[in-house]
Amino acid sequence: MEITENISQITNPELDLNRMTVLGIRLGDSRENIPIELITEGSHGDWLHTTKGITIRISKEEPKKVVEFLLNPEILEDLKITKEKRIEKRFGKTISKEKKIGSTFYFYENQKIVVGWDKSDDKLFGIYVGNNIIKQTKFRINDFLDKFYEFKGMVPNPNEWNARSLKYNEPRFYRFKELEALMRAFEIGKDLLKDFQNRNFLNNRSIDDFQAIIDDIEKYVVTKEFEKKRWQREKERLTDVNRFGMLIQSFMRFSEETRNLLRFNSGWLETGSVTSRYSIYKTQKLLDNIDLSELNEIEALLGKLLDPKERIFTKSELIKNYKFPDVDLHSIDMENY
């Protein structure tokens, strides 16, 4: 079935993408199967633009295959989606929608379709079909850590870690509200300072939550004879989960300081000075050669200490169940820059 001959079929929940063609091209076809006369420009990243209101994404792997189509506004007029609320009337209830970089994306993962709405122009800007490059945002405990380090850098005074102090600064306020929501989701508590920074959340954990860390400690111990006897004595007393507080504090401090070091040159926007560029060159040369494998391992262990269940939440789940702010933080940052 050629979708451009009956564009309304794209809203059919029973649409079989394997039988669908777009300009005579199927998902999975080789790049070489695309007629050269259709292509208007050279590739932009993995995307090929055509003369027919279709953009085609090619996989990076060999052999290069068609993995996604972007249906652009000029061929979507027959759908008559002139208002955002009509998206769900035509496609059905979405499993999730997200605000990203001035747009709202509606996800229909079962159909492998993402519908994009431009918030600034208030119009449909495209429908992605296939192996969607735009995906729902997902959060793990290490994403919480990244957000915490960022927030701490913006608001170093813990006395200001509350909504009342931050309510007139939107970038900081919404980052704080994100952290509160993630704390609820990962069962870290309610108060960023007391429950997380001061690790009061450990009071609600049991020793069984830390079995993965205990196992990793034993891998270390078995390689060092002098540690074995000491570990046996320590392990017998390892019933108080607060004993893991020092380990969490140590790993967090190492993670945060190392990440700050890796961002050493991130404050430079541009420089006209030879000496400044020389400084960036010398320091970045060292930073680029740091082996991050051990840091990644430490941060993975830290993640297990903070969230033994290793949970994953979509942004839509967080908004629905944990009061995660439904805002476009990137746009807020740009407005307050």
Side-chain angles (χ1 to χ4, degrees), residues 169-180:
N169 186 313
E170 285 193 335
R172 297 180 181 185
F173 174 79
Y174 283 115
R175 281 174 170 83
F176 174 71
K177 299 305 286 183
E178 286 183 344
L179 288 170
E180 282 193 320

Side-chain angles (χ1 to χ4, degrees), residues 19-210:
R19 300 179 63 184
M20 178 193 74
T21 61
V22 180
L23 305 178
I25 305 162
R26 294 180 185 274
L27 291 168
D29 278 357
S30 170
R31 185 199 189 287
E32 297 175 354
N33 289 2
I34 303 173
I36 191 68
E37 62 270 17
L38 282 178
I39 301 172
T40 59
E41 309 173 32
S43 62
H44 293 262
D46 305 324
W47 294 92
L48 295 174
H49 292 266
T50 74
T51 59
K52 304 293 185 179
I54 305 290
T55 312
I56 304 169
R57 187 163 69 89
I58 308 298
S59 68
K60 294 179 181 179
E61 293 76 21
E62 293 290 344
K64 293 184 176 179
K65 294 180 183 271
V66 174
V67 291
E68 187 173 15
F69 299 105
L70 170 57
L71 314 182
N72 294 300
E74 54 263 41
I75 68 165
L76 299 174
E77 291 181 1
D78 286 348
L79 294 180
K80 295 181 171 51
I81 300 177
T82 56
K83 296 182 179 180
E84 187 175 353
K85 65 182 180 181
R86 292 184 180 174
I87 293 174
E88 291 189 279
K89 287 184 178 179
R90 293 305 309 269
F91 285 87
K93 185 70 175 175
T94 180
I95 62 166
S96 168
K97 64 179 179 180
E98 282 189 30
K99 296 173 182 175
K100 296 184 181 186
I101 316 179
S103 302
T104 302
F105 293 96
Y106 290 72
F107 294 90
Y108 296 89
E109 291 189 349
N110 292 338
Q111 295 109 297
K112 295 186 176 180
I113 288 175
V114 177
V115 181
W117 185 265
D118 188 320
K119 298 292 288 185
S120 58
D121 291 335
D122 198 28
K123 66 179 183 180
L124 187 71
F125 77 79
I127 298 175
Y128 297 81
V129 185
N131 183 14
N132 302 132
I133 194 169
I134 298 175
K135 300 184 183 300
Q136 291 191 72
T137 304
K138 295 183 179 179
F139 292 89
R140 296 168 174 79
I141 191 64
N142 290 88
D143 297 304
F144 167 78
L145 273 177
D146 289 342
K147 285 184 172 291
F148 175 70
Y149 296 153
E150 180 188 38
F151 175 78
K152 191 175 176 183
M154 296 173 74
V155 190
N157 182 359
N159 291 328
E160 297 178 2
W161 293 1
N162 58 79
R164 179 171 46 81
S165 297
L166 303 172
K167 64 181 179 180
Y168 297 114
N169 186 313
E170 285 193 335
R172 297 180 181 185
F173 174 79
Y174 283 115
R175 281 174 170 83
F176 174 71
K177 299 305 286 183
E178 286 183 344
L179 288 170
E180 282 193 320
L182 289 167
M183 286 179 65
R184 285 190 286 268
F186 290 111
E187 300 178 274
I188 298 174
K190 297 179 180 179
D191 189 291
L192 188 60
L193 175 60
K194 294 178 182 178
D195 293 328
F196 181 62
Q197 175 89 339
N198 295 341
R199 298 175 296 285
N200 284 358
F201 73 91
L202 287 172
N203 295 329
N204 297 319
R205 299 286 170 83
S206 72
I207 196 66
D208 293 337
D209 290 329
F210 300 100

Side-chain angles (χ1 to χ4, degrees), residues 227-313:
E227 295 280 38
K228 288 182 180 179
K229 290 182 179 179
R230 293 169 62 95
W231 172 241
Q232 287 304 316
R233 291 196 298 270
E234 282 189 34
K235 190 176 179 181
E236 290 173 4
R237 299 194 299 270
L238 204 62
T239 55
D240 180 6
V241 295
N242 285 291
R243 287 178 176 270
F244 290 100
M246 182 277 293
L247 186 57
I248 292 172
Q249 182 181 28
S250 174
F251 280 176
M252 279 189 62
R253 180 183 172 191
F254 182 83
S255 169
E256 184 177 8
E257 293 188 4
T258 304
R259 291 293 175 188
N260 286 337
L261 175 63
L262 293 170
R263 290 192 294 269
F264 182 79
N265 289 316
S266 63
W268 293 96
L269 295 177
E270 58 179 88
T271 175
S273 162
V274 172
T275 54
S276 295
R277 288 196 297 273
Y278 167 75
S279 170
I280 295 171
Y281 165 76
K282 293 295 288 185
T283 53
Q284 195 62 43
K285 189 176 178 182
L286 184 150
L287 295 174
D288 289 342
N289 283 282
I290 294 176
D291 183 355
L292 298 180
S293 57
E294 293 299 329
L295 174 63
N296 292 336
E297 183 176 337
I298 286 173
E299 289 183 343
L301 289 169
L302 177 57
K304 289 181 179 179
L305 282 164
L306 297 175
D307 178 35
K309 298 176 183 177
E310 299 183 86
R311 288 162 287 193
I312 302 173
F313 297 95

